[in-house]
Amino acid sequence: MVDGRPRYHLADCTHLMGRATEGLPVAEAVELGFSPCGLCRPVDRLVAAAAQR
Ligand SMILES: [Zn+2]
C-alpha cells in the first residue's frame, strides 16, 4: 500500500518500485475506501490464496 494513494497493491507490484510502502490488512484498506490496483490485481491474488485453503 502506498501512503497518500487511494489504491492498494501487492508487495511485488511494479507500481511500488522506488516508493515507500506501508503494510496494511486488505480488509482495512477496503474499509478506508481504497481500491485494488488494476495491474497487480490484489483481489485476484487474494481470492486464489483463499481458494487454496
Ligand atoms: Zn499494483
Side-chain angles (χ1 to χ4, degrees), residues 8-10 13-16 37-42:
Y8 56 90
H9 302 262
L10 292 173
C13 177
T14 52
H15 272 308
L16 301 179
C37 166
L39 183 67
C40 56
R41 307 288 220 121

Side-chain angles (χ1 to χ4, degrees), residues 1 8-9 23-36 42-43 46:
M1 206 200 100
Y8 56 90
H9 302 262
L24 189 76
V26 174
E28 203 173 309
V30 172
E31 239 173 66
L32 290 169
F34 285 56
S35 52
V43 174
L46 288 168

